[in-house]
Amino acid sequence: MGFISQYILPKTVNFDTALQKQALLVTKLVSHINTACELNDVTALSHITNDTEHARQLKSQNMQELLDILILPYDKESLYRMITQLDWIALSVKHFRLEIEVYDLHSLEDYLPIATQLLNMSNLLEEGIALLPQQNLRLISDNIDQILDLYDEVVSNCAQTSAQLLKLDDYIQIIRHKDMILQLKEIAKRIHIAANTLEDMAIKIV
């Protein structure tokens, strides 16, 4: 049987586990932003560098497996979109840290409400991906609905925070913080798109 499975049967990969690892790491990355805002400590973002490198490795590994495997548990195009969207979330977190460094910002506490919503979105996405093997569309759809509601809240929070910025007299500060808000909004957008892909995957397997 060992010979048959090694040389004759098509290679198989547990994509449920592979996606869950990617999603778990994405949530960890988003949590770094939340922690930094909660502590108002920019140094808490330092973990993002190593974790984004790990995220890129997982993405490359999953993509290679996707190209090599013939028999897949999910639609190949949907798997591709999920792998790349999870990578986009990680990349957006990396860009947030990059802009913090370039703009030399030291106060993050004003971003905490948005960061908390992002972490909740990421947790829900991770939970939804973990539910895929159960093929329970109702539970997954509930998670996705919550993500979409949180996305609306993030957009609203970003708009309100931007409006408060415009009341300042320091135009340099306005531009700096406006860019940070846009980057946080980008993270939310990527989680939103990944949630749509999750729904597509769930519908196709039920």
Side-chain angles (χ1 to χ4, degrees):
M1 184 65 183
F3 175 85
I4 294 175
S5 62
Q6 184 174 358
Y7 297 104
I8 298 177
L9 294 179
K11 179 183 176 183
T12 60
V13 171
N14 189 332
F15 272 100
D16 289 316
T17 300
L19 290 179
Q20 287 168 27
K21 285 181 179 178
Q22 231 186 314
L24 180 64
L25 190 52
V26 162
T27 298
K28 185 180 178 183
L29 280 163
V30 176
S31 74
H32 293 323
I33 295 178
N34 188 73
T35 300
C37 294
E38 197 170 39
L39 300 175
N40 197 27
D41 183 5
V42 175
T43 62
L45 297 173
S46 61
H47 303 291
I48 288 176
T49 301
N50 287 336
D51 285 340
T52 49
E53 289 178 3
H54 186 198
R56 180 48 57 96
Q57 291 170 3
L58 278 179
K59 182 258 184 179
S60 298
Q61 178 182 321
N62 289 344
M63 195 62 71
Q64 189 58 54
E65 297 288 8
L66 182 63
L67 294 173
D68 291 342
I69 304 302
L70 295 177
I71 300 176
L72 296 165
Y74 306 106
D75 174 70
K76 194 163 192 173
E77 184 180 344
S78 297
L79 270 173
Y80 168 80
R81 289 200 303 271
M82 180 59 77
I83 292 169
T84 54
Q85 284 304 327
L86 288 172
D87 186 57
W88 261 110
I89 300 169
L91 192 60
S92 297
V93 172
K94 178 183 178 181
H95 291 166
F96 176 81
R97 189 205 171 192
L98 174 64
E99 292 194 15
I100 288 287
E101 291 178 346
V102 170
Y103 287 141
D104 195 27
L105 297 178
H106 299 284
S107 179
L108 300 175
E109 58 187 347
D110 291 341
Y111 305 131
L112 180 57
I114 300 172
T116 301
Q117 289 168 333
L118 291 179
L119 182 56
N120 289 337
M121 290 177 70
S122 187
N123 278 323
L124 285 165
L125 178 63
E126 182 190 333
E127 290 172 7
I129 290 173
L131 287 169
L132 270 175
Q134 300 178 27
Q135 299 186 13
N136 191 323
L137 183 57
R138 180 172 296 179
L139 287 177
I140 294 173
S141 293
D142 183 57
N143 274 45
I144 293 168
D145 287 343
Q146 292 181 66
I147 290 172
L148 301 187
D149 288 341
L150 281 167
Y151 177 72
D152 282 342
E153 292 178 21
V154 168
V155 172
S156 177
N157 253 343
C158 287
Q160 292 172 18
T161 305
S162 296
Q164 290 299 316
L165 280 175
L166 294 176
K167 296 178 181 179
L168 300 176
D169 294 328
D170 189 338
Y171 293 107
I172 294 178
Q173 282 291 90
I174 292 174
I175 293 172
R176 285 175 175 172
H177 288 287
K178 181 74 172 177
D179 282 352
M180 301 315 305
I181 292 168
L182 288 174
Q183 192 55 47
L184 290 171
K185 189 176 177 181
E186 176 67 15
I187 296 171
K189 175 185 173 183
R190 292 297 170 181
I191 297 174
H192 180 291
I193 295 173
N196 288 340
T197 300
L198 173 62
E199 186 170 41
D200 177 64
M201 293 175 69
I203 289 172
K204 288 178 178 176
I205 60 174
V206 174

